[in-house]
Amino acid sequence: MTNLKTMNERTLKKNKVSQFLLRIDLEKSAVIDFRNLSEILADDYSTTQTELHVNYCVNINAGQVNKEDYIKFVLKSPGVKLTLDSFQKCITIESNKYEDNSIYKNRIAKIISILTSTNPGLNSERIGLRYINVFPCEKISDISKILNASDAKSVKDSLSHDNIARSIFIQEFQHEDCMSRVQFGVFNKFYPSIIANYDITLDIDVYCSGLISIDNWNEFIRRYNHLAYETFISYIRDKYLESLK
């Protein structure tokens, strides 16, 4: 994640991002040649594959069932996956090796460049960036070393309940032109067993709904990346944050 300082200052080389997702949902009326897009992008990835999805549309009044075939194009390189979904009409970049925005910046810029030439006037219906951070905790007291004082107390107090299998706090925030959803707590990788592992998850999702012109995608993504970082550091203790740089 990155904040508004210089790149070196805002990069957390030891971040705990276990999964990153950037998803752009396109306007449903858009006609996109996803096959052509995948073929142009193929040289930038190690492997490409296609997945066939079948959808059945049922018209109860007419007593008709229409079968529709959709293709999902999946392009992969070490640590990153690009999915072009013709059914949901979305573009998703995922990574389990996120360090900074270089994992997606050039990739999404190239996609925008191609779509701008083939689909001028294209709009998105939703843009979202999601960062799932997982912090190892051997014991309950370690939670206070990671989260800020008030949030650490909330999580620790919740773990005092008998037979608790999961403890998750959800907070949503409204910003000028977007929303953010934060989920944090002990998700328990052994769920539904009673909690015996105290790893802390901090899941930050910054997104907006509404039509956004392709000309503005890069700017919105940049701003949401910054907002995600600012959100991240607001939940993390200063001393622990220093250890991530």
Side-chain angles (χ1 to χ4, degrees), residues 148-187:
N148 65 46
S150 61
D151 292 324
K153 183 179 186 302
S154 296
V155 174
K156 289 164 62 179
D157 287 348
S158 72
L159 296 176
S160 64
H161 295 285
D162 292 337
N163 303 319
I164 188 166
R166 179 174 280 173
S167 177
I168 302 172
F169 292 80
I170 301 175
Q171 298 175 330
E172 297 192 11
F173 303 90
Q174 183 173 346
H175 307 279
E176 182 177 352
D177 61 1
C178 67
M179 296 285 293
S180 61
R181 178 185 297 111
V182 180
Q183 301 179 79
F184 67 95
V186 179
F187 281 48

Side-chain angles (χ1 to χ4, degrees), residues 20-36:
F20 163 79
L21 298 96
L22 188 166
R23 173 165 167 157
I24 300 175
D25 289 274
L26 305 175
E27 193 172 13
K28 297 306 180 187
S29 61
V31 179
I32 307 294
D33 188 342
F34 283 102
R35 182 180 296 278
N36 178 64

Side-chain angles (χ1 to χ4, degrees), residues 217-236:
W217 289 1
N218 273 323
E219 174 60 19
F220 276 77
I221 291 170
R222 183 189 68 81
R223 283 157 49 190
Y224 296 168
N225 172 270
H226 291 164
L227 178 57
Y229 181 90
E230 297 299 329
T231 301
F232 176 84
I233 64 175
S234 72
Y235 281 84
I236 301 299

Side-chain angles (χ1 to χ4, degrees), residues 69-111:
D69 294 336
Y70 295 90
I71 298 178
K72 181 184 292 185
F73 300 90
V74 182
L75 295 79
K76 296 180 181 179
S77 283
V80 64
K81 179 173 76 171
L82 168 66
T83 302
L84 309 172
D85 191 327
S86 65
F87 176 56
Q88 296 191 8
K89 284 196 177 180
C90 68
I91 298 165
T92 306
I93 296 176
E94 302 174 61
S95 177
N96 57 9
K97 294 184 178 179
Y98 185 95
E99 183 174 298
D100 55 38
N101 64 8
S102 62
I103 197 69
Y104 68 81
K105 189 174 182 179
N106 290 337
R107 299 178 192 277
I108 201 66
K110 187 170 183 177
I111 292 170

